[in-house]
Amino acid sequence: MTAIQTNEREKLIASANTLRWEIGENIHDSIIETIYTEAAKIANKAVRVKEQKKKYSYDQAIDRIVTSKWLGFPIMFFLLAVVFWVTIEGANVPSGLIASLLVDTLHPILKNFIASVGIPNWINGVMIDGAYLAMAWVISVMLPPMAIFFPLFTLLEDFGYLPRVAFNMDNLYRKVGAHGKQALTMTMGFGCNAAGIIATRIIDSPRERIIAIITNNFSLCNGRWPTQILIATIFIGGAVPAYFAGLVSAAAVVGIALLGIIFSLVVSWGLSKTILKGEASAFSLELPPYRPPRILRTLYTSLIDRTIFVLWRAVVFAIPAGIVIWLVANITIGETSIAEHFTNWTDPFALIVGLNGVIFLAYIIAIPANEIVVPTVLMLTVLVAGIAGVGSGSGVMFELDSVADTSAILHAGGWTVLTGINLMLFSLLHNPCSTTIYTIYKETKSVKWTVISTILPVIMGFAVCFFVAQVWRLIAGS
Amino acid sequence: MIDQNKCETCPVHNTGNLKRLGINMDKFDFVVALSGNPNTGKSTVFNNLTGLKQHTGNWPGKTVTRAEGGFEFNKNRYKLIDLPGTYSLLSTSTDEEIARDFILFGQPDVTVVVVDATRLERNLNLVLQVLEITDRAIICLNLIDEAKRREIEIDDRALARDLGIPVIPTQARQGIGIPELLKSIEDVVTGKFICKPYRIAGSSKGLTKAVENLTEKVKNQFPGLPNARWVALRLLEGDQKIIDAIRSGEISGIVKRNSVEENIVAV
């Protein structure tokens, strides 16, 4: 850009300023005012509303209940709980079926086939025990819950319930200095944080948008539900009498989800009082009419647009992760594998925060996709604890058929109820997955905010786990 | 000839000539922008015309980026752009900027404003703003079934007369009114129907003069900038974003970003 050009542009801006002074009225306001009055005039001419009796009391009656002061939140939690419960219950059987097909049946066939055509063992290991199994696990764990969760969630959305959720939560978010619409993006985050972060585009103020982006990670996403459910079933459910187990472990998962909402409020408050100071901006949220959901249409779009799309992305990330898992478990330095070196080295520190080195390593490997945390943890535990006779050999990612088997391995690996609770907390509070991190960068175009969004939850996770571990040990006296 | 005219007024004829092209939008003849307030059914209209299955949701702010698709009607190929819903064109959030910049600088051949029949007055605010910056627009008066349910009657012909543009009542969810909408789009882009858009009266003489004066200057500085008048008006209002865009010369960049030929297909 030449100096002359710059000069000319400044002149243009200057003459605009002069003209503005000459006219002397508030142009912006007067234009808006004109638009509003004209719109009202034209609309009045064209619209005839018949005597309104109680015609659309149907919508209003529902709204009065679902957004009421006392019933709004309980109904919201109830609906979400039902959606999650149906997802958890419904996904179990198909997950098992897919796992037995892909892992138990297809895996040995593939492995034998590759061995029979004379491909070296290590390639067989990397490709089949690493990449293929990682993909198989992600499909069997993610596909069924997503195929149930997304349509249910989309039905709620199509019906018009989501804006009511935002309406209920809006006040809370405004009180902590964030944007009311953050309630909506948070809800989206329950499905997928990356989707939630893209949804923050509906927030106008950059300050509030950054807050919404940083705190979206506190919405437990699809990838983390299975971890929560499994660990809750083993450690929380296992600690109470059997007839309570199901209820208590479900309550524990809902509790973690609630904790996430509380964290998102607290962190939003903290941010808006420190590095992102400012007033909450006002906004008007339209409550759209309830519309009968189009069920077939919803099934189709939520399956194609959401389920397959998300699954595909997960598979793409899981394949390299599977290769890494196989490699760290099988490449040895001295007598021990890289994985064991790492866990031995981090164990002392990890124990202070009530976790263990295996969990650390699993989280590092699972950055690409949260859903592979549990299988990685199991596989590494077997390796480190040296349990013989489970799984299909070292470095093979596997899922055990029963919760009891999983439980036995974890207990043998030195896990306690504390480890379980802290794993659930750490699963809530840790860095976002790589897709989400990338999305944050794409949306904010700022390395600074990306780093903050990534590091902040990890620091909080360590702090919370440390705190819980200390209190636990004080009480338990060990 | 007479017979053919009869055919053309029959809705069956129109949908018969509609070929949904999905994301195939090579060699399009015309560009159609879909705008409107949030949650009025833009994406539903979009899916209806393109045969795509863009996810629709019953909440404001569902579409945050613009989606594109194609359709063919009476041998003409159209590219359809689904813009994020906006209440106005004067706002600052990312999704609303995307919509505004496209109508302003993407130079669509026609802008279809999808309007919620149950909330006509508020929706008209946007319509009037759209008419300020484009000559060719159509109102797709959607959700008329809901309006009927609430016993709201809209005289669409009076509305069309007042605004100077076609007004097509539709129920996009059921596909009702879509053939008429197609016909109307064709009429406007081919010049068969000349819009005489209603422009906000009452701006003072001083203002009009100042805008004209500044528009000239903007045109001199940035030749080929579409909607120089709008840029001038925003400058006059002291819109900091526009001032910055002028200062950095980025204003031409906005135009380039929005020119349809260079778009990445985003569905």
Side-chain angles (χ1 to χ4, degrees), chain A residues 169-180 265 269 272-273 280:
Chain A
M169 304 280 298
D170 151 57
N171 225 346
L172 289 176
Y173 278 100
R174 264 210 320 252
K175 272 194 190 132
V176 299
H179 200 290
L265 287 166
W269 176 81
S272 73
K273 288 284 170 287

Side-chain angles (χ1 to χ4, degrees), chain B residues 119-132:
Chain B
R119 291 170 164 82
L120 185 65
E121 181 179 332
R122 186 180 35 212
N123 281 249
L124 279 184
N125 289 326
L126 177 71
V127 173
L128 289 178
Q129 290 175 47
V130 169
L131 291 186
E132 280 299 298

